[in-house]
Amino acid sequence: MVSPTLLVLAAGMGSRYGGLKQLDPVGPDDETIMDYSIFDARRAGFGKVVFVIRKEMEDAFKRAIGSRYDKRVPVEYVFQEVGKLIPGFSIPEGRTKPWGTTHAILMAANAIHEPFAVINADDFYGAGSFKVLGQHLQSGSSDYAMVGFVLRNTLSEFGTVARGVCHVSDEGYLKDISELKSIEREGSVITNIDDDGQETILNGGEMVSMNMWGFTPQIFGQLHDQFHRFLKRYGEDLKAECYIPSTVNTLIHAGAARVKVLRSGDSWFGVTYREDHPRVVQSILRLVEGGTYPRKLWR
């Protein structure tokens, strides 16, 4: 049985947070959220970790993060750069924004040759989430997978968030995913405002994607094709990004992919804004005190 790989998306700019939130400590021994994800992944049978980072943060990232794993698990680094495009395309003048999560995953095409999971560096998914996803990836299934979370449990108290709202078939497969970019809770009311200013009220019980995916290496060819189409249509747009939920959605509608929706009883939490940080610290401390994690992950 081939051990799956964990692909960690850690190239984000952290613009709303105000810094490199991937490197901020949240655990009692200065662990980052990534530390807990990798700890959980190793317990779930993952055999390698690949980080997607920006080239300019390589040295700081390796010192702060990579050095913790050198003797524990094989680690590789790939780089998401604005200039890494499909032949035939070039960076439009003034473009500085990364091309999105589809592009980020595509950067790992030469580093991953086995089933793999994709996660965000700054999201805490919980041990149970890695367990169910690891089991799927080691099952031999050709289906892709997504771990779903309940919307009301994924919101920030300090501003809007983007979430992929999912529709699931009776058989447990993803039928459709809608990327909502401006979800906010005010009191007991949860709303999203789209690009046209149209407001939609949500009930909070919707299943959402938090970018915890399971793929086989077949996805890389599909991502290449979809990113090529994206660049043809939006390549001159200085702010357009190619998001993996939208890409997966396109593949599902084309009959090119089946995505099994996995459910976990774990609570998600993350740091979209700097004000979210204390809540994450307290949440992890409760898990440590409850025995879910040791006080020092890397003894």
Side-chain angles (χ1 to χ4, degrees):
M1 183 183 297
V2 177
S3 296
T5 286
L6 180 67
L7 179 63
V8 183
L9 306 184
M13 299 295 289
S15 57
R16 286 180 294 181
Y17 183 74
L20 289 177
K21 55 186 174 180
Q22 302 95 326
L23 306 184
D24 264 7
V26 295
D29 196 43
D30 290 339
E31 295 91 350
T32 66
I33 286 180
M34 272 184 288
D35 284 319
Y36 288 96
S37 292
I38 292 168
F39 184 85
D40 285 335
R42 291 180 66 226
R43 290 196 293 185
F46 287 76
K48 183 174 75 172
V49 179
V50 178
F51 292 106
V52 183
I53 61 175
R54 301 194 313 276
K55 186 65 177 178
E56 64 264 28
M57 65 187 283
E58 179 180 10
D59 291 341
F61 192 94
K62 286 182 176 179
R63 286 195 304 269
I65 300 296
S67 61
R68 304 186 186 202
Y69 313 125
D70 288 344
K71 298 180 180 179
R72 295 181 172 91
V73 62
V75 173
E76 291 187 45
Y77 300 88
V78 298
F79 304 102
Q80 183 183 18
E81 303 295 328
V82 176
K84 286 190 174 182
L85 294 175
I86 293 170
F89 294 92
S90 58
I91 311 171
E93 185 178 354
R95 175 87 192 202
T96 59
K97 192 175 183 66
W99 293 101
T101 46
T102 296
H103 180 247
I105 297 169
L106 192 55
M107 295 300 96
N110 294 327
I112 297 178
H113 310 285
E114 57 282 319
F116 66 101
V118 176
I119 64 168
N120 292 334
D122 51 359
D123 288 325
F124 181 95
Y125 299 100
S129 301
F130 285 96
K131 183 177 180 180
V132 296
L133 187 51
Q135 288 171 343
H136 175 87
L137 293 172
Q138 294 174 81
S139 70
S141 173
S142 60
D143 292 337
Y144 301 153
M146 184 205 81
V147 179
F149 294 84
V150 177
L151 173 62
R152 70 171 63 92
N153 296 330
T154 72
L155 303 177
S156 171
E157 299 176 12
F158 305 103
T160 61
V161 297
R163 299 287 181 258
V165 177
C166 305
H167 302 94
V168 184
S169 72
D170 293 339
E171 294 76 29
Y173 284 89
L174 188 62
K175 293 195 303 181
D176 187 76
I177 184 165
S178 303
E179 187 74 13
L180 305 187
K181 300 179 182 178
S182 186
I183 302 175
E184 187 171 21
R185 176 167 49 200
E186 291 188 13
S188 60
V189 180
I190 301 172
T191 59
N192 176 73
I193 299 177
D194 64 20
D195 293 340
D196 297 323
Q198 182 70 35
E199 181 178 275
T200 302
I201 296 178
L202 305 166
N203 64 38
E206 293 87 353
M207 175 170 288
V208 297
S209 164
M210 300 305 300
N211 267 0
M212 190 175 198
W213 301 92
F215 295 119
T216 69
Q218 178 183 343
I219 192 69
F220 291 118
Q222 295 173 318
L223 297 186
H224 181 278
D225 292 343
Q226 292 300 317
F227 189 55
H228 184 275
R229 294 178 185 178
F230 169 85
L231 289 174
K232 286 181 68 175
R233 185 171 182 180
Y234 300 108
E236 296 303 315
D237 187 325
L238 299 185
K239 295 184 178 180
E241 293 185 62
C242 190
Y243 297 108
I244 191 63
S246 298
T247 297
V248 170
N249 206 39
T250 299
L251 295 174
I252 291 171
H253 289 176
R258 296 207 314 168
V259 180
K260 184 70 174 177
V261 177
L262 309 175
R263 300 171 187 262
S264 170
D266 290 320
S267 296
W268 170 95
F269 45 86
V271 282
T272 303
Y273 300 91
R274 185 166 294 279
E275 293 87 347
D276 292 320
H277 185 265
R279 183 177 63 87
V280 172
V281 171
Q282 289 302 313
S283 297
I284 287 178
L285 183 59
R286 284 194 294 271
L287 290 171
V288 170
E289 292 174 342
T292 301
Y293 299 102
R295 186 161 289 273
K296 291 186 177 184
L297 283 186
W298 313 119
R299 301 190 180 197

